[in-house]
Amino acid sequence: MTRIPAHDPASDGLEAPPMPTLNRGAAVIHYTDTGAPPENPEAPTIVFGHGLLFSGWMFEPQVRALAREFRCVTVDWRGQGESNAPAGDYDMDTLTLDAIALVEQLDVGAVHFAGLSMGGFIGMRMAARRPELIRSLTLLDTSAGPEDPDKVSRYRLLAHVYRLVGIKPVKKQVLPIMFAQSSLADPTFAAVIDEWLARLAKVKRSGMAKAVFGVADRDPIDGELDAVTAPTLVIVGAQDGATPVHKAEFIAERIDDARLEVVEACGHSSSLEQPDEVNRLLGDFVRDR
């Protein structure tokens, strides 16, 4: 299957429109917003929260597929994508407050929230603590627990090296964390990896490193899962090495009536690795809610 990398308006000779922003103290959070479809101005809103080392760009295939039916919003967490890198910690509670403030700024009522990995850490917190803001919850390739102890020191070391010299020296170590071997071996996927690396090279490295530390040192959310009342879909790649299938199974077991879907030939970045299947699962799920 051919994967389609994010569309660049410059390729059409057009200048990309400026991203709207949310200001929270020194943090300037950038996001994209398709607006409601012209034929359905009251369409529900889907807010997409990306994984570590990415930006809202990682949900571009889903936005393309669903923007005719839903208002689609993608957020860049602080220190990543187009958002700035303010002083202070980037813990998951802080990012959750960023996400809550964004939904409140949108002023659209309860939203469908789809979060991958880091975005899932935030989505679970939002759904447990501010259930009135969440119409449905889709969790992709994520975990409710703390980072595995054997991975914490490795991720922190990779972050320190990346902060000093960039992604190139650690690329071989990072790629198998982010993507399945089947994706890395697929020639049609090379364009996606190239675009991801190009976008990563533009991010302020000190901010991204703090985002890595925020994920590596995160507190668990498993004790709050019984407070999640929104309809929940849990998606995980069968080859996800960062947050393996058993972590998704745990979440699905702890949230009432949650549904689990395992995507074959897919690693940690399911929205990009198997976009057609994720589009199908997510689209069918939110249309029914």
Side-chain angles (χ1 to χ4, degrees):
M1 177 184 64
T2 300
R3 279 85 166 192
I4 302 173
H7 178 67
D8 182 357
S11 66
D12 295 332
L14 302 175
E15 183 177 347
M19 296 174 70
T21 59
L22 164 74
N23 296 316
R24 289 200 68 238
V28 181
I29 309 300
H30 286 247
Y31 62 97
T32 68
D33 185 353
T34 64
E39 57 275 14
N40 186 7
E42 301 302 318
T45 298
I46 307 175
V47 174
F48 295 92
H50 66 85
L52 183 65
L53 302 185
F54 281 95
S55 67
W57 163 77
M58 80 176 314
F59 287 107
E60 191 276 341
Q62 288 68 52
V63 172
R64 282 197 199 182
L66 296 171
R68 291 183 178 87
E69 301 174 71
F70 300 90
R71 180 176 179 178
C72 294
V73 175
T74 72
V75 58
D76 289 357
W77 305 124
R78 57 177 67 196
Q80 301 182 77
E82 298 293 326
S83 295
N84 72 339
D89 294 331
Y90 296 6
D91 60 88
M92 296 306 104
D93 287 346
T94 298
L95 271 60
T96 298
L97 292 175
D98 290 344
I100 289 170
L102 172 59
V103 172
E104 291 177 337
Q105 177 169 294
L106 292 172
D107 193 25
V108 293
V111 302
H112 299 290
F113 189 93
L116 191 150
S117 191
M118 187 179 197
F121 307 154
I122 294 160
M124 284 182 275
R125 285 165 169 78
M126 287 182 67
R129 300 170 187 176
R130 294 294 302 275
E132 76 279 6
L133 297 180
I134 304 298
R135 182 168 180 162
S136 77
L137 180 64
T138 300
L139 301 170
L140 303 98
D141 304 286
T142 194
S143 168
E147 190 54 73
D148 294 338
D150 62 328
K151 294 179 181 177
V152 171
S153 58
R154 179 187 178 198
Y155 290 172
R156 291 183 67 86
L157 176 61
L158 290 173
H160 282 299
V161 174
Y162 163 76
R163 180 175 182 173
L164 290 174
V165 295
I167 191 66
K168 187 175 181 180
V170 296
K171 185 174 73 171
K172 288 185 177 180
Q173 289 78 22
V174 173
L175 282 172
I177 298 171
M178 308 310 295
F179 307 104
Q181 287 298 329
S182 57
S183 297
L184 296 175
D186 182 353
T188 69
F189 197 66
V192 176
I193 295 175
D194 289 345
E195 184 163 355
W196 169 62
L197 291 171
R199 288 173 178 268
L200 189 57
K202 297 177 182 178
V203 176
K204 187 175 182 180
R205 295 203 299 265
S206 59
M208 183 66 81
K210 288 203 294 184
V212 176
F213 299 148
V215 166
D217 299 333
R218 70 184 183 275
D219 291 327
I221 188 65
D222 50 1
E224 297 183 51
L225 291 183
D226 58 358
V228 177
T229 57
T232 301
L233 172 64
V234 183
I235 299 173
V236 64
Q239 300 176 34
D240 187 341
T243 52
V245 172
H246 70 86
K247 295 182 182 291
E249 292 172 338
F250 176 86
I251 295 170
E253 291 167 359
R254 292 290 298 273
I255 297 177
D256 283 346
D257 298 322
R259 190 176 101 223
L260 175 66
E261 296 285 350
V262 179
V263 180
E264 298 301 321
C266 186
H268 188 59
S269 304
S270 56
S271 64
L272 292 169
E273 294 184 74
Q274 293 294 343
D276 292 342
E277 181 63 5
V278 171
N279 292 350
R280 183 187 69 81
L281 292 170
L282 176 60
D284 289 348
F285 179 66
V286 295
R287 287 187 194 102
D288 290 340
R289 286 152 183 88

